[in-house]
Amino acid sequence: NHTMYHCDLVRGGGGSPTTAPCQTGGAPSADFIRHEMTEAEAILRAGTGQNPQPYWRPPYGSVNAGVVNAVASVGYTKTFMWDIDTIDWKPVAQGGPSAEQIAAKVIGNAGDGSNVLFHLGGYETLDALHLIVPALREQGYTVTSLSDLLN
């Protein structure tokens, strides 16, 4: 789960789309945070038939004890962060990275246990993966999903 509207759960604001109902002017309430999680969960369950609990990733990596407690109260007890952010959500035309730049960043910074942040439908992601996966395998790494890693 990654929340319904990608709000900054610590500082408020943010959000996607830009019309998202993210609270501004301070930290969102625990009720707001729980609603962000449960609303997204309902869509994930309906679309996949699977339960996303207990795993979640905080939007913007913005997390503190209050957020952790709020999401845990609705079943999300495993918070996952990343150590390499590909910025693949940003198109090249708007200053985002090319596939080659994404690949160079991942290949140059990967280490044992690295968690690389990609987005479904990210710009340049598929082309970058065609470069990344063979290069990491050549370096002796095994590329896997979070689900496979945890099971």
Side-chain angles (χ1 to χ4, degrees):
N1 195 329
H2 192 51
T3 73
M4 186 67 195
Y5 292 105
H6 205 271
C7 301
D8 185 320
L9 301 178
V10 172
R11 293 174 286 279
S16 178
T18 56
T19 57
C22 299
Q23 296 179 355
T24 57
S29 68
D31 283 340
F32 180 88
I33 293 168
R34 286 190 285 268
H35 184 69
E36 278 286 294
M37 298 299 289
T38 57
E39 192 173 349
E41 178 181 319
I43 292 171
L44 291 167
R45 283 179 184 261
T48 67
Q50 297 182 17
N51 180 2
Q53 293 180 9
Y55 311 111
W56 82 291
R57 180 170 60 87
Y60 312 104
S62 187
V63 65
N64 63 19
V67 172
V68 168
N69 290 336
V71 300
S73 73
V74 291
Y76 292 91
T77 57
K78 303 289 184 185
T79 304
F80 282 93
M81 303 298 278
W82 56 93
D83 62 309
I84 303 172
D85 187 349
T86 63
I87 316 294
D88 64 340
W89 54 267
K90 189 173 191 179
V92 173
Q94 295 177 11
S98 67
E100 292 77 15
Q101 290 169 319
I102 292 171
K105 183 177 188 179
V106 173
I107 296 164
N109 292 291
D112 287 342
S114 281
N115 189 355
V116 181
L117 176 60
F118 289 105
H119 293 81
L120 291 175
Y123 298 94
E124 309 297 320
T125 306
L126 183 58
D127 290 340
L129 284 169
H130 286 293
L131 301 170
I132 294 166
V133 172
L136 290 179
R137 285 183 175 151
E138 187 173 296
Q139 293 178 17
Y141 291 107
T142 300
V143 179
T144 189
S145 67
L146 190 56
S147 298
D148 287 345
L149 186 64
L150 296 171
N151 291 323

